[in-house]
Amino acid sequence: MASSSNNVDEEGIEKKEEPTPLEKHVMFFDINKDGVIYPWETYKGFRKIGSGVLLSTVASIFINIGLSGKTRPGKWPSPLFPIEVKNIKFAKHSSDSDIYDTEGRFVPEKFEELFNKHGRTNDNALTGEELDELLKANKQPKDFAGHIAAKSEWKILYLLCKDENGMLPKETIRSVYDGSLFEQMAKEKQSKKHRGKSSS
């Protein structure tokens, strides 16, 4: 199939499209950068950002089983439960905050709305209680699967990224949506590891 003119430069070379924020969000877990994320890559990704063995194991199983089929439309189910990065927009679940649109693009208005509605204690952070209220407000009737997915995502984020006051900073949440948080967390963990070796 011929490429559209929008994706071809002046020399006739096909240009790669910029990944959407949602794609960037999951690309961290594509360890070998082949566009497909397997459970063992999800596990390694969680370990790189500081998750324990148990959480990383459970998360990798839950995430890959839950998302694999949605990102592989028209294909037979695979026992390896791969997630195709380019199709991650199809895995967007219900009962979420709609900060990503249906194409996986970041919606700034929805992001600000989240804090306008729920950030009562601090304009630039969410408490654990406010997070629970957010999840309750977003829950759609009879949407057990979507609610569990949303709750798991937010609770893991809160567990890993809350500050010393038990608050989840606004900029941390923003960096989840723009895809930069996981790389940042991995670098911080690696830096701490090196500092620990240097001081020993």
Side-chain angles (χ1 to χ4, degrees), residues 3 14 20 22 56 85 100 104 177:
S3 300
E14 187 174 355
T20 66
L22 180 54
S56 300
V85 174
Y100 289 127
Y177 286 103

Side-chain angles (χ1 to χ4, degrees), residues 106-196:
F106 179 73
V107 184
E109 296 82 7
K110 287 290 185 180
F111 181 76
E112 294 300 330
E113 182 181 296
L114 185 153
F115 287 90
N116 291 336
K117 284 184 176 180
H118 304 287
R120 297 188 309 277
T121 305
N122 187 316
D123 292 340
N124 294 307
L126 292 177
T127 65
E129 184 177 320
E130 289 166 349
L131 184 56
D132 288 337
E133 292 173 0
L134 162 67
L135 290 166
K136 185 176 180 180
N138 286 345
K139 184 180 180 181
Q140 297 177 6
K142 299 180 181 179
D143 181 31
F144 179 75
H147 178 64
I148 289 298
K151 188 172 184 177
S152 299
E153 292 167 356
W154 280 104
K155 290 295 185 179
I156 290 174
L157 178 63
Y158 183 78
L159 175 67
L160 295 176
C161 298
K162 64 182 177 181
D163 63 19
E164 63 275 9
N165 297 314
M167 304 191 79
L168 190 59
K170 183 176 183 178
E171 285 308 307
T172 297
I173 298 174
R174 180 185 288 276
S175 65
V176 173
Y177 286 103
D178 68 24
S180 64
L181 177 65
F182 300 136
E183 291 287 354
Q184 179 184 330
M185 291 175 69
K187 287 178 182 177
E188 288 176 357
K189 186 191 175 192
Q190 194 67 21
S191 178
K192 288 179 181 178
K193 187 176 179 181
H194 286 315
R195 287 200 299 269

Side-chain angles (χ1 to χ4, degrees), residues 9-27:
D9 65 16
E10 294 178 355
E11 297 179 356
I13 300 174
E14 187 174 355
K15 297 183 292 185
K16 289 186 177 180
E17 291 185 7
E18 178 72 16
T20 66
L22 180 54
E23 289 170 356
K24 290 179 181 178
H25 173 72
V26 301
M27 284 170 67

Side-chain angles (χ1 to χ4, degrees), residues 45-116:
F46 270 92
R47 293 290 286 149
K48 284 173 69 175
I49 62 176
S51 298
V53 172
L54 180 59
L55 175 58
S56 300
T57 301
V58 172
S60 63
I61 294 171
F62 177 79
I63 290 171
N64 280 75
I65 289 178
L67 303 187
S68 179
K70 295 177 181 179
T71 65
R72 305 176 72 248
K75 296 182 180 180
W76 286 99
S78 168
L80 298 179
F81 299 107
I83 295 170
E84 294 189 8
V85 174
K86 67 180 181 180
N87 292 328
I88 194 64
K89 65 182 180 181
F90 299 130
K92 186 175 178 293
H93 58 76
S94 50
S95 291
D96 73 354
S97 54
D98 289 327
I99 294 175
Y100 289 127
D101 67 12
T102 55
E103 293 298 316
R105 295 171 298 215
F106 179 73
V107 184
E109 296 82 7
K110 287 290 185 180
F111 181 76
E112 294 300 330
E113 182 181 296
L114 185 153
F115 287 90
N116 291 336

